[in-house]
Amino acid sequence: YALAGRLVCPSLWAALFPSPVHAHSPQAFVSDLSAMDSNNFDANAGVGEREARVASASVARRHFGLAHGVGRSGDITAEQPKAAGSSLMAKLTAHMATDALRAAGYKEVGHALVLPLATGMAVAQVLLALMRARPGARRVVWPRIDQKTCIKCVAMLGLQLDVVPLTLRGDELGTELAAVGAAIEGGEGGAENVLCVLTTASCFAPRACDDLAGVAKLCARLNVPHVVNNAYGIQAAGIAREVTSAWRKGRVDAVISSTDKNFMVPVGGSLIYAAKGHLGVVDAVGRAYPGRACAAPALDLFITLLEWGEQGWRGVLSARERMYGYAREKLAAAAAELGERLLETPGNPISLAMTLDSFDEDGGATSLGSMLFTRLVSGTRVVDRRKAQEVGGVTFSSFGAHSDEYPHTYVTVAAAVGTTEEDVDLFCERLLKSARDWRKRRAKDRARAEKAAAAAAAA
C-alpha cells in the first residue's frame, strides 16, 4: 500500500476506528483500493456483460473507479472476485460502522449490515426476511408514528398494519404496553399471525421513543419478532440506552438506521444491526439481497468515518447533545415571545415542539409553515391537528400529530447531527418575523371584514 494506506490500515485490520487522518489520505487510500478492481487493471480483457465499464470520465472520477459494486448474487456481504478493492472497502465499512455504533453507546452490538437502501426499503427487507421465517404471518403491530415511510413499507408487501394508539402523558405521546399486548393476542389469528411488532426509537416530538424494553419483554414472552425503526437515533445517547436496554431485557430481532441522517452522507444507505448472538435476521437480509449492490453508500460512509476517526465521531455526538440544549433554550424563548410554549417531551432527545395554538384558525398554522419555507427555513414540520389523510390504504385523523386527539397545533424542530447555533438562531429569527407578519396581515383582514360588515349593516 501507498503512504495513505499505511496511515490507516493498522487500526482497520483490528476493526477499530482509525485515528483522524488528513482529508486527502482517505482519497488516496480509496484510489489504492480501486486499483485492486479488475476494471482498473491495465492488461485486463473483460468480455462479460458486466465489466464495470464506465463511459463518462466524470462518472468514473466521482466513484473513484469503483464500478463493480459490492457483494455477489445471493449475498451482499460476499467477496466479489473481480472487485477485491470494492469488497475490502465494504468489509472495512461494516467493521467501522459497527465500531461507530459501539462508540455511540450501543453496547453488545453485533456486526452491522450496510445496505444501499434508504430506511423504508431497509425496513421492507427486514420484513421480507421475517416473512420467510414466519410463513403465513400477515399482521404488523405498530404503535402509531405519523411518518409515511413506515406505513408504505408494510403496505407494499401486502401485509396488514395493526395501528396501536399512543397514550398522552402530559404533553408527550408514548407507548401503551397493554394496548400492544392486546393487539398481538387479540387480533386476527393471535400471536402466531403477527409477523412482528414494529416500534419506533427516533421520531418527531411530541411523540417519545417507544418503550423498547417493555415491548422487547412482551415479544420475548409471546414469541413474536421485534423490529426497531431507529432512523436517526444513533446520534442520541438516550436512544442508545433504550435500544441497549431492550436487547438486554427482551427480544430485538433487528434495528434499522439511516446513514444520511446519522453520519451526514448523501441519502441512500442504511444500517441493520442487532445484539451479538441475535443476528439471525440481520444475516438473513444480507444473504437474501438480490444481485450485486451499489457501492456508493458504503463508500460515502467509509470516507466519512476515515476522516472523522473515533475522536472526530465522538466529537460530533457531543456537539449534537450540546445543540439540543441550545435549541431547547432558544425555542422556549421564541415561544414565550409569541405567547406560546415549548412542549415538554423528555422522552425525545432529538426533536422539539412548540405550540401554535394562537395560529389555530383559518389555516393560520399551515400558512405560517409556508411563510417559513419561502424564507429559507427547511426541516420544520407544522402540524395541523385537524388534518385527515389516507396513507397506504389506512385513513388517519390528525395525520402528523401521532394521535387522533392531540390537544395542540405545533411546529417541530430537530436538534440533529450537524445542526449549528447559526441554524437555530436564524430559524428563531425567521419564525418570530413570520409570526408577526402573519398576525399583522390577519389583523388587517379582520379590520377590512368588520368595516365591510358595518357598511353592509348601515346600508
Side-chain angles (χ1 to χ4, degrees):
Y1 281 104
L3 174 61
R6 292 198 299 271
L7 282 171
V8 295
C9 279
S11 294
L12 289 173
W13 303 143
L16 297 171
F17 257 140
S19 300
V21 296
H22 295 295
H24 69 272
S25 298
Q27 297 178 34
F29 185 34
V30 172
S31 295
D32 285 345
L33 293 175
S34 177
M36 298 167 65
D37 284 6
S38 64
N39 60 299
N40 298 314
F41 296 170
D42 289 338
N44 188 62
V47 294
E49 81 288 350
R50 173 184 276 168
E51 295 298 327
R53 303 179 182 99
V54 180
S56 168
S58 297
V59 172
R61 286 193 298 271
R62 177 189 174 219
H63 294 276
F64 291 87
L66 297 171
H68 271 293
V70 295
R72 301 187 74 179
S73 182
D75 191 341
I76 196 174
T77 63
E79 291 83 6
Q80 173 55 241
K82 290 191 289 187
S86 295
S87 298
L88 179 56
M89 179 276 297
K91 292 286 187 184
L92 295 175
T93 304
H95 281 307
M96 290 196 296
T98 303
D99 287 331
L101 287 167
R102 294 191 184 109
Y106 289 78
K107 309 298 183 184
E108 296 103 35
V109 67
H111 57 261
L113 178 67
V114 183
L115 285 185
L117 300 170
T119 313
M121 291 301 291
V123 172
Q125 290 295 313
V126 170
L127 297 181
L128 281 169
L130 291 174
M131 290 170 72
R132 291 187 289 271
R134 292 172 70 86
R138 308 300 299 168
R139 296 195 294 126
V140 175
V141 175
W142 179 70
R144 180 172 169 177
I145 164 75
D146 285 2
Q147 206 276 342
K148 293 179 182 179
T149 299
C150 309
I151 305 165
K152 289 184 176 181
C153 68
V154 174
M156 71 177 288
L157 299 178
L159 299 170
Q160 176 183 323
L161 187 69
D162 287 0
V163 183
V164 180
L166 303 175
T167 295
L168 182 62
R169 303 179 181 94
D171 291 332
E172 190 170 70
L173 291 160
T175 320
E176 180 56 62
L177 280 178
V180 175
I184 294 172
E185 297 186 283
E188 179 184 353
E192 292 184 359
N193 193 33
V194 174
L195 184 69
C196 70
V197 178
L198 178 57
T199 54
T200 303
S202 57
C203 48
F204 305 117
R207 194 193 194 282
C209 172
D210 274 320
D211 182 356
L212 301 181
V215 173
K217 289 187 282 187
L218 185 64
C219 288
R221 179 171 65 82
L222 298 176
N223 193 30
V224 170
H226 179 199
V227 177
V228 180
N229 177 3
N230 188 29
Y232 51 96
I234 291 175
Q235 61 192 276
I239 291 177
R241 289 190 292 270
E242 293 290 334
V243 173
T244 300
S245 175
W247 65 40
R248 283 175 173 173
K249 295 178 180 179
R251 179 169 180 171
V252 176
D253 294 78
V255 185
I256 301 98
S257 297
S258 163
T259 54
D260 66 278
K261 292 176 181 175
N262 291 287
F263 298 103
M264 292 188 281
V265 295
V267 171
S270 58
L271 304 181
I272 302 179
Y273 50 100
K276 291 178 182 177
H278 301 276
L279 295 165
V281 172
V282 177
D283 291 339
V285 172
R287 289 193 301 269
Y289 191 92
R292 234 180 278 182
C294 175
L299 180 60
D300 292 337
L301 184 58
F302 180 63
I303 293 172
T304 300
L305 293 179
L306 279 180
E307 289 192 8
W308 275 342
E310 181 177 1
Q311 180 182 345
W313 170 234
R314 290 185 183 276
V316 168
L317 295 174
S318 297
R320 194 219 66 83
E321 297 287 346
R322 291 192 300 272
M323 188 52 54
Y324 177 84
Y326 184 83
R328 178 180 172 81
E329 177 184 340
K330 291 293 184 178
L331 192 60
E337 192 167 336
L338 294 174
E340 302 288 351
R341 68 180 182 86
L342 191 70
L343 293 171
E344 293 299 326
T345 55
N348 192 322
I350 299 174
S351 180
L352 296 159
M354 180 191 105
T355 64
L356 292 177
D357 292 336
S358 62
F359 300 83
D360 193 23
E361 58 179 87
D362 300 329
T366 302
S367 177
L368 180 62
S370 298
M371 292 171 71
L372 289 171
F373 185 76
T374 59
R375 295 175 183 190
L376 302 182
V377 172
S378 61
T380 57
R381 297 174 73 249
V382 172
V383 177
D384 183 344
R385 56 199 171 95
R386 291 182 296 269
K387 179 183 177 183
Q389 190 167 347
E390 183 272 330
V391 183
V394 182
T395 300
F396 296 86
S397 298
S398 303
F399 187 79
H402 316 294
S403 169
D404 289 349
E405 299 177 345
Y406 196 73
H408 302 286
T409 294
Y410 58 88
V411 60
T412 67
V413 172
V417 62
T419 304
T420 65
E421 291 186 1
E422 182 182 11
D423 291 329
V424 175
D425 292 344
L426 281 173
F427 165 72
C428 290
E429 176 186 322
R430 291 169 185 173
L431 171 65
L432 290 171
K433 187 176 189 312
S434 298
R436 294 185 189 113
D437 288 349
W438 182 86
R439 285 175 172 171
K440 287 178 183 177
R441 187 177 67 190
R442 179 62 175 156
K444 289 179 180 179
D445 289 344
R446 283 181 172 174
R448 280 195 297 266
E450 290 171 0
K451 185 177 180 179

